[in-house]
Amino acid sequence: RLRPDLVQTYNWGAFDAAAGCVLARVCPLLHTEDGFGADEAEGPKARRVLARRVVLPFARRVVVPSSTLERIALERYRLPRRKVERIPNGVDCLAFRPGRNDELRRELGVAVDELVMGTVGHLRPEKDYGLLLRAFAEARLERCRLVIAGEGGERERLRRLAVELGLSGRVLFPGVVEPAPWYRMFDLFVMSSMTEQMPLALLEAMATGLPALCTDAGDSAWMLDSPDLPAIVPRGDFGGYVEALKRWAGDERLRREAGARNRARCEREFSLERMVERWRAVYEECLGRR
């Protein structure tokens, strides 16, 4: 009815619209894939793969942010190389910048000399914040707080787990926040996900000049490009995660140097401007062939 010039669909949740666009033949289809939920942490379901094999060859382009999704699109969905475009995510390096937010720390009752580990994201099962809480409790770090910012269905379960682990008062659940000021109160960004692709929260933390500890989900290791640092732990490696927390907590110089490296990498490789130019080229190509 609208007869648009281009339809862009996003992930499996919009696949009915992708199929409708292909069947109606009203305009070109641009499909984007950005990741999976907990039910597909190890890869897409067979019937969903089949549906993508049928519909996506008729898309003008399929855009993905990570090398993992690029490989899935080529090998599992069997899409032609010319159809698949990988555009790494970008971050606004002006909005997310280094600096220390002592004012927010004071508001929350966090002492200047306390170490703050934090993460920002949806509280969903695939983020595996339970592992993060258990590792934080096991590490027994002195004068250290953990912040888990965000909302979602896991919130109450995680709050109860924090109490069971004896972490009352040491773990903050502030809910939905404006992320930039919160990153600047962190000393270390932490991510414990079972599945990711190219997480924006990690990019935002890197742009803020934070060191980071992540699982090996998606492109996190490539994003950090720090094989010499305790930055990446295999998914589900509880002991490895605990030891990495201890090492980061005990070495201020390591945190400072890693944070500077992460900021420089964002400015060089993951700027918002670079991503926008790549997307502009895709839109122009999709619209220009009509």
Side-chain angles (χ1 to χ4, degrees):
R1 183 171 54 83
L2 293 174
R3 301 194 67 81
D5 295 297
L6 179 69
V7 164
Q8 181 170 2
T9 51
Y10 182 83
N11 277 351
W12 177 254
F15 212 74
D16 53 347
C21 183
V22 166
L23 290 170
R25 297 184 180 181
V26 171
C27 66
L29 169 68
L30 169 59
H31 183 69
T32 55
E33 292 268 338
D34 195 50
F36 305 107
D39 59 339
E40 294 184 290
E42 299 302 322
K45 294 181 177 179
R47 280 187 284 187
R48 296 182 184 183
V49 169
L50 180 59
R52 288 174 170 108
R53 288 179 184 175
V54 171
V55 172
L56 293 184
F58 296 96
R60 190 61 56 83
R61 281 286 184 276
V62 175
V63 178
V64 297
S66 74
S67 57
T68 300
L69 283 173
E70 183 180 41
R71 184 172 63 253
I72 289 173
L74 295 172
E75 297 176 1
R76 298 286 300 278
Y77 306 160
R78 300 177 184 173
L79 298 178
R81 172 72 268 181
R82 70 181 187 280
K83 295 274 188 178
V84 180
E85 186 88 16
R86 181 166 73 93
I87 302 180
N89 289 329
V91 63
D92 187 340
C93 291
L94 294 178
F96 296 92
R97 61 189 186 279
R100 187 173 171 86
N101 193 343
D102 285 329
E103 181 179 350
L104 182 55
R105 283 178 173 240
R106 285 193 295 271
E107 289 177 10
L108 296 169
V110 178
V112 173
D113 63 338
E114 280 189 277
L115 184 74
V116 179
M117 301 176 174
T119 190
V120 178
H122 296 290
L123 307 188
R124 298 193 299 248
E126 64 266 26
K127 300 297 183 179
D128 204 7
Y129 290 129
L131 180 143
L132 175 58
L133 284 168
R134 290 190 292 272
F136 182 74
E138 181 67 22
R140 296 182 174 86
L141 304 171
E142 296 184 1
R143 297 193 63 75
C144 185
R145 302 277 191 108
L146 174 64
V147 176
I148 300 178
E151 276 292 353
E154 288 279 280
R155 180 183 175 89
E156 289 308 312
R157 186 187 73 83
L158 294 171
R159 288 171 65 91
R160 290 195 301 270
L161 178 60
V163 173
E164 292 169 9
L165 293 169
L167 297 175
S168 297
R170 296 187 60 205
V171 182
L172 304 178
F173 294 93
V176 177
V177 300
E178 180 65 34
W182 284 79
Y183 287 122
R184 290 196 291 275
M185 73 161 284
F186 297 167
D187 297 294
L188 175 70
F189 176 77
V190 286
M191 181 177 286
S192 51
S193 302
M194 294 186 292
T195 178
E196 290 284 354
Q197 294 307 323
M198 192 178 178
L200 286 171
L202 176 55
L203 278 182
E204 292 167 353
M206 292 170 66
T208 309
L210 288 174
L213 168 60
C214 302
T215 55
D216 60 350
D219 279 8
S220 296
W222 170 74
M223 292 166 68
L224 289 165
D225 191 29
S226 300
D228 56 320
L229 299 177
I232 298 294
V233 174
R235 283 168 288 179
D237 183 356
F238 179 76
Y241 206 96
V242 171
E243 291 306 310
L245 285 177
K246 290 180 180 178
R247 186 172 171 194
W248 282 117
D251 197 329
E252 181 181 356
R253 179 180 175 182
L254 186 71
R255 296 196 303 270
R256 184 172 61 252
E257 292 177 351
R261 282 170 58 174
N262 288 344
R263 169 70 184 187
R265 182 157 169 78
C266 268
E267 292 176 321
R268 186 174 64 250
E269 301 291 341
F270 305 127
S271 71
L272 181 65
E273 294 78 12
R274 183 171 180 159
M275 180 189 72
V276 167
E277 285 306 310
R278 295 282 304 278
W279 272 104
R280 187 193 312 279
V282 168
Y283 286 132
E284 290 177 346
E285 194 278 337
C286 286
L287 291 167
R289 272 199 202 172
R290 190 176 180 196

